[in-house]
Amino acid sequence: MTQHTHTSSFAALGRLLRYARGYRRQIITASLCSLINKLFDIAPEILIGVAIDVVVNQEQSFVARLGFETAQEQIAVLAVLTFFIWAGESLFEYLYQVLWRNLAQRLQSELRQDTYEHAQRLDMSFFEAQSSGQLVATMNDDVNQLERFLDGGANAVVQLVVTVIAVGAVFFFISPLIALLAFSPIPLIIWGTFYFQRKAGPLYADVRDKVGDLSTRLTNNLGGIATIKSFTAERREAERLKASSEAYLEANRKAIRISSAFIPVIRMAVLAGFLATFTVGGLMALEGSLNVGAYGVLVFLTQRLLWPMTGLAALIDLFERAMASTRRILNLLEEPVHAHDESDTSLLEPVRGDVAFRNVSFSYPGGTAGVQNVDFSVTAGDTVALVGATGSGKSTLIKLLLRFYEPTQGDILIDGQSTREVSLESLRSCIGLVSQDVYLFEGTVRENLVYGRPDATDSDIIEAAKTAEAWSFIEALPQGLETLVGERGARLSGGQRQRLSLARALLKNSPILVLDEATSAVDNETEAAIQRSLKRIGHNRTVIVIAHRLSTIVDADSILVIENGQIVERGNHAALVEKGGAYSSQWKVQTGYA
């Protein structure tokens, strides 16, 4: 993932709020419920002071001045008020919890969906440079971390602000002097909070990176478990996982060290404010300059004001973790898409399958070799083979045809239409791809076969499977088409997976079929089966074959020999063998005549 410069947590919060602007009404409503709940929550402390005033002053109490003369009436009024205050507090606690939690779940779901859909539009170069573990950690763990903050932290922030303002108003109304004393620790607390945030921000960004590294290690090891076992590398991989886990632990330890140091500082500041109110207010009450009930209100409210500050460290801790995750999520969402699908133009139907590369050049990011000035045409219905050493540029041409990458020079045409000027959906729907690295999704044989054509009938499926010479082994499976293939097709052999991949591409019924080294890692039987299939399917569609085994492409209409990203020879098999060039030399090596 692109390394963005560190932005502050508040900048990340601003980015998140811009993203969530569609939820503005829910955020405001939830915040209002949190606000009202907190006002109800601090009201009992005020009522306690008023009750003390009633007991001490009776007919001269504050409540008496409201028209309730006897102490019994005043207590009854306070009891009724207490009931409604507690009921109101309970009601709005229920409302804010429902609203914040539903918002957290909704936003979590939308973020995960948006990041996944955006990732699908990114160029292949992004995935080749980015580990799948980091992406999974961003879409899953980081989104969950943000959800945890929205689930409880957002309400805590709102209520803390409301507490400071509301309690402050009561304090200044009763005694400005005591208000100043009670609030005197708050500047220290705020300074400590920002100091902690500044120190903790980079530490939690490192924590999120270490989570991604750990996820990558787990994903790679579980995916390569057969290789690990075959090399008896279990102990070594366990040690490597332990190292990644320890790195994550150490990153967390550094962050925890900062947050833990913050809590004692806050506690001492709270104690100073409470002692000031307790002592000065008590002396004023003894002198008669402060009502006893008001003194009770101030003592209780001081604790209500300052005690939540002790949880500020945990709140900031949660906030920092969430904002570190937010940065990673939004950075992924802002990753640029280079292969833009801005066109809504489709290829003209019916697509015949003429393919033309016109002076096409491309180099990978960082200047890595690609292809230079490639120019060739394939007539609809013909079979063209691309041969050459590994890294010569054969697969790059296929990636350019599919617009996984954009040419830096030249153009690619299908039926005379530039692939840049048609939608990606229209382009890719007319191309069936069978790659060397077959990917089968976890599910049934049927689900994998109909992946490119979900509405295919059983007769269509069977016909495609027979053409790919896959039907005989499918029939022999325990549940036939309904047999589970396992993760990445692990329950099938390599040859079976390759034939299913070919059948899947055939069932898609695209006018252009691309075989990217589809026979390089299969047994002789599967190779022969695929070769027979090619003879059957090559009559009514354009076939582009990348092959290392030259025996599989002797019947191709045209063969292009590629070296260092350029076409160095072209012709059919007989002509190239007779020419005595690079193709002829490779043929002799493979057939044993070298």
Side-chain angles (χ1 to χ4, degrees), residues 264-301:
V265 174
I266 298 301
R267 283 181 175 273
M268 295 309 296
V270 168
L271 177 62
F274 181 76
L275 285 177
T277 305
F278 182 80
T279 306
V280 176
L283 292 173
M284 291 174 66
L286 289 173
E287 293 172 356
S289 59
L290 181 66
N291 183 287
V292 174
Y295 173 61
V297 170
L298 293 178
V299 169
F300 284 116
L301 283 185

Side-chain angles (χ1 to χ4, degrees), residues 246 281 442:
E246 287 293 331
E442 190 167 8

Side-chain angles (χ1 to χ4, degrees), residues 431-443:
I431 302 173
L433 175 65
V434 182
S435 63
Q436 176 185 6
D437 183 20
V438 175
Y439 193 96
L440 296 182
F441 295 92
E442 190 167 8

Side-chain angles (χ1 to χ4, degrees), residues 217-228:
R217 176 70 60 198
L218 287 168
T219 301
N220 288 343
N221 285 15
L222 293 175
I225 193 67
T227 303
I228 292 172

Side-chain angles (χ1 to χ4, degrees), residues 236-250:
R236 189 191 325 153
E237 290 302 333
E239 287 298 321
R240 293 172 71 181
L241 179 65
K242 182 180 179 181
S244 295
S245 185
E246 287 293 331
Y248 171 57
L249 183 66
E250 181 58 29

Side-chain angles (χ1 to χ4, degrees), residues 1-16:
M1 196 179 301
T2 302
Q3 292 297 314
H4 293 259
T5 56
H6 174 71
T7 55
S8 75
S9 297
F10 294 108
L13 178 60
R15 291 168 67 192
L16 177 63

Side-chain angles (χ1 to χ4, degrees), residues 378-548:
V378 186
T379 303
D382 281 359
T383 297
V384 64
L386 309 177
V387 300
T390 300
S392 60
K394 306 181 301 298
S395 294
T396 298
L397 294 175
I398 301 307
K399 292 175 181 177
L400 292 171
L401 175 63
L402 285 159
R403 281 188 70 194
F404 290 163
Y405 296 97
E406 299 284 6
T408 51
Q409 176 186 309
D411 204 1
I412 301 172
L413 310 175
I414 293 180
D415 292 350
Q417 288 181 265
S418 172
T419 56
R420 297 179 193 268
E421 297 173 0
V422 298
S423 69
L424 289 174
E425 182 178 359
S426 173
L427 169 66
R428 292 171 183 169
S429 66
C430 78
I431 302 173
L433 175 65
V434 182
S435 63
Q436 176 185 6
D437 183 20
V438 175
Y439 193 96
L440 296 182
F441 295 92
E442 190 167 8
T444 65
V445 171
R446 180 194 298 276
E447 288 168 343
N448 275 280
L449 287 175
V450 302
Y451 192 73
R453 188 177 157 196
D455 59 347
T457 64
D458 278 2
S459 60
D460 294 330
I461 295 170
I462 293 170
E463 182 183 354
K466 286 181 175 178
T467 304
E469 300 208 9
W471 183 243
S472 58
F473 86 78
I474 292 174
E475 278 189 305
L477 292 172
Q479 284 83 41
L481 286 169
E482 307 309 321
T483 302
L484 294 172
V485 302
E487 189 175 3
R488 296 181 66 95
R491 296 183 182 179
L492 304 178
S493 70
Q496 289 173 332
R497 290 196 295 270
Q498 197 71 61
R499 292 190 214 184
L500 279 185
S501 179
L502 179 58
R504 178 170 62 186
L506 293 177
L507 187 59
K508 187 180 176 184
N509 200 27
S510 303
I512 301 170
L513 179 65
V514 175
L515 303 177
D516 187 356
E517 299 185 10
T519 62
S520 65
V522 298
D523 53 55
N524 291 333
E525 180 187 349
T526 303
E527 179 187 348
I530 291 176
Q531 208 166 348
R532 290 192 298 269
S533 299
L534 285 176
K535 290 181 180 179
R536 288 194 293 272
I537 65 180
H539 298 298
N540 58 356
R541 75 187 78 221
T542 302
V543 181
I544 301 175
V545 184
I546 294 177
H548 278 305

Side-chain angles (χ1 to χ4, degrees), residues 135-171:
L135 289 173
V136 170
T138 298
M139 295 182 194
N140 191 45
D141 194 68
D142 281 327
V143 171
N144 288 341
Q145 186 67 53
L146 178 58
E147 182 262 338
R148 282 191 284 274
F149 171 73
L150 292 173
D151 203 34
N155 167 71
V157 169
V158 171
Q159 294 205 331
L160 187 62
V161 172
V162 172
T163 298
V164 171
I165 294 173
V167 172
V170 174
F171 264 70

